[in-house]
Amino acid sequence: MKLVFAGTPEVAVPALDALIASGRHEVAAVVTRPDAPAGRGRRLVASPVAERAEEAGIEVLKPLKPRDPEFLERLKEIAPDCCPVVAYGALLPKVALDIPAHGWVNLHFSLLPAWRGAAPVQHAIMAGDEITGASTFLIEEGLDSGPVYGTVTEEVRSTDTSGDLLTRLAFAGAGLLAATMDGIEDGTLKAVPQPADGITVAPKITVEDAQVDWAAPALRVDRVVRGCTPAPGAWTTFRGERLKLIQVTPVPERTDLAPGRVAAGKNSVHVGTGSYAVELLWVQAQGKKPMRAADWARGVRIAESETLGG
């Protein structure tokens, strides 16, 4: 088939690579978000998908909005059979959805209908899911509600951050998306409507969502930290300033600390929760680089009665 691939961030690049490498389909063009300011100089930088497409000599389309008339006209000229999508980042209007004969097929990082929305991996970790995965589905106007072509499952490991899990799903999902294109082309794959039961939603995680509640159980604190790493970053406050929490681990044997109470030893920092303590392993103070929590604690000289989270 002739394909137009839509995607923007680094997590979409493995799928683009898989489609290019398959040799079975032609990736005629790539649709991605416009260049965005990045770095200290805030200069405009092309998306990872745009950079990969340019390396491969593929035409890159960067509409401000996918309903822009110039973009829609160019898409009609290319006349793709199908448009595979991974984390494009913009809502597709019906006029665009109707152009390819086989529609737009999205690779979504959950087992639909679980975790429809912008942050499925983060929510899966924060909810304590043991199994997650990726799904390919035909995009319709509802939120991730279209019929599903295929799925692949992935175990959620006890130490996974959302970054770790998303990286594995990006590669597993790339193979699924390529196989979905093959099945659509040869007519062996039909999309199946999603069940009405088991629908959960995964809205974007805000900075407020990423604030740790020390009155919550230790397992919840651990899941929030892992689910919000690397973005938007779990945090608490210490002496009125924000402290980013990069890695913690539950310590079930320590139950003597009140929620938020800090106990700094020579080589460890424990904090009380609503159940038992967690050990802070890596933190980042405002204006500082990430550091081991024990080094941070020595630097700030934590008093015996101090707490995190105010």
Side-chain angles (χ1 to χ4, degrees):
M1 294 190 293
K2 182 189 283 188
L3 307 177
V4 170
F5 178 87
T8 298
E10 189 66 42
V11 72
V13 173
L16 175 57
D17 283 340
L19 293 171
I20 293 170
S22 79
R24 181 164 172 174
H25 311 288
E26 175 199 354
V27 182
V30 156
V31 186
T32 191
R33 300 294 291 145
D35 297 359
R40 287 188 177 179
R42 308 304 289 164
R43 67 184 182 89
L44 291 178
V45 174
S47 74
V49 163
E51 290 182 350
R52 180 67 188 93
E54 284 163 3
E55 286 171 10
I58 297 169
E59 179 182 357
V60 179
L61 308 173
K62 301 177 182 180
L64 205 56
K65 294 180 179 178
R67 61 173 66 252
D68 290 352
E70 285 182 12
F71 165 69
L72 294 172
E73 193 57 42
R74 180 61 189 135
L75 195 61
K76 288 175 185 173
E77 288 172 0
I78 296 169
D81 298 301
C82 190
C83 294
V85 186
V86 185
Y88 170 48
L91 199 62
L92 295 160
K94 189 173 187 306
V95 64
L97 295 177
D98 290 343
I99 291 174
H102 294 287
W104 297 64
V105 176
N106 191 44
L107 172 65
H108 183 75
F109 297 115
S110 81
L111 297 174
L112 291 169
W115 303 126
R116 295 176 178 177
V121 175
Q122 290 95 324
H123 280 276
I125 289 177
M126 289 167 73
D129 290 0
E130 295 180 354
I131 299 290
T132 187
S135 308
T136 50
F137 71 95
L138 182 64
I139 295 179
E140 42 180 51
E141 290 187 272
L143 175 66
D144 299 334
S145 60
V148 172
Y149 282 106
T151 60
V152 62
T153 59
E154 181 71 33
E155 181 186 357
V156 183
R157 300 169 188 168
S158 62
T159 57
D160 271 339
T161 65
S162 61
D164 298 332
L165 184 53
L166 191 55
T167 297
R168 295 203 307 277
L169 287 171
F171 284 94
L176 173 65
L177 186 62
T180 299
M181 292 298 107
D182 294 348
I184 291 172
E185 189 237 352
D186 62 25
T188 59
L189 202 53
K190 302 296 180 188
V192 177
Q194 293 183 34
D197 297 331
I199 297 170
T200 49
V201 292
K204 183 179 179 181
I205 303 289
T206 66
V207 172
E208 289 73 26
D209 295 330
Q211 182 176 10
V212 167
D213 175 10
W214 295 107
L219 284 178
R220 173 64 182 170
V221 172
D222 174 53
R223 289 169 184 168
V224 169
V225 173
R226 291 189 293 113
C228 293
T229 300
W235 61 280
T236 187
T237 54
F238 178 70
R239 295 177 186 169
E241 291 193 340
R242 189 171 293 189
L243 178 70
K244 187 175 180 180
L245 304 172
I246 299 171
Q247 187 181 13
V248 306
T249 189
V251 187
E253 60 273 17
R254 181 147 199 188
T255 58
D256 62 317
L257 296 173
R261 181 75 175 269
V262 188
K266 186 177 180 182
N267 295 305
S268 65
V269 182
H270 291 169
V271 184
T273 75
S275 57
Y276 42 81
V278 297
E279 182 180 353
L280 306 188
L281 299 178
W282 284 86
V283 299
Q284 184 175 3
Q286 261 184 289
K288 305 286 186 180
K289 292 181 179 180
M291 65 178 72
R292 292 190 181 278
D295 296 336
W296 164 77
R298 277 193 292 272
V300 297
R301 297 183 180 180
I302 293 173
E304 191 174 321
S305 60
E306 286 196 278
T307 62
L308 295 182

